[in-house]
Amino acid sequence: MRLDIRRSSSHPFVATLFFAALALLPTACGRNRTADQDGHHSVTLSWAASTTPVVGYNVYRATPPNGPYSKLNSEPIMTTHYIDTRVEAGHTYTYHVTAVDGKKLESAATTDVTVMVPSP
């Protein structure tokens, strides 16, 4: 899973995150990017495609330390990336992804990836 954080500061921040998951390949890296002109933040998640046939992916987010997970998409995502634009500066979020097959069954979730959105 690749993780890009957008923020208003231009100071670089690099983190590497790795996970192994059923139906998803274990690769990941992260870095910061500049926030948009209005200073809005976003987190971009990307992951390797499943090695088995899938109709898409579901992305889940929790607010730690023990917040419940909520599915962020209403229908399976057909691509291998997702941009979460509903994040706030200074907050921490945990994500995981599942693969969805043709019968709408989900794979096991990826290992959790936690990110703190930098404060402006």
Side-chain angles (χ1 to χ4, degrees):
M1 178 181 295
R2 180 175 155 180
L3 180 63
D4 290 333
I5 307 164
R6 293 182 177 259
R7 69 174 183 172
S8 55
S9 173
S10 62
H11 298 354
F13 168 81
V14 178
T16 303
L17 306 166
F18 292 94
F19 70 86
L22 187 68
L24 299 176
L25 297 175
T27 60
C29 68
R31 66 183 176 157
N32 270 350
R33 290 188 179 173
T34 307
D36 64 17
Q37 292 177 344
D38 297 327
H40 294 118
H41 293 71
S42 66
V43 174
T44 300
L45 304 166
S46 60
W47 53 92
S50 173
T51 58
T52 60
V54 298
V55 296
Y57 303 92
N58 286 330
V59 177
Y60 294 86
R61 179 182 76 188
T63 304
N66 295 314
Y69 279 90
S70 298
K71 186 165 64 166
L72 298 179
N73 51 295
S74 58
E75 294 293 324
I77 298 167
M78 304 299 283
T79 63
T80 56
H81 67 276
Y82 181 83
I83 300 173
D84 186 1
T85 58
R86 296 176 294 166
V87 297
E88 297 180 29
H91 288 81
T92 300
Y93 302 95
T94 300
Y95 296 90
H96 64 235
V97 177
T98 62
V100 181
D101 70 12
K103 296 179 182 177
K104 305 283 185 188
L105 298 174
E106 291 183 79
S107 70
T110 61
T111 301
D112 292 346
V113 175
T114 299
V115 60
M116 181 176 168
V117 178
S119 296

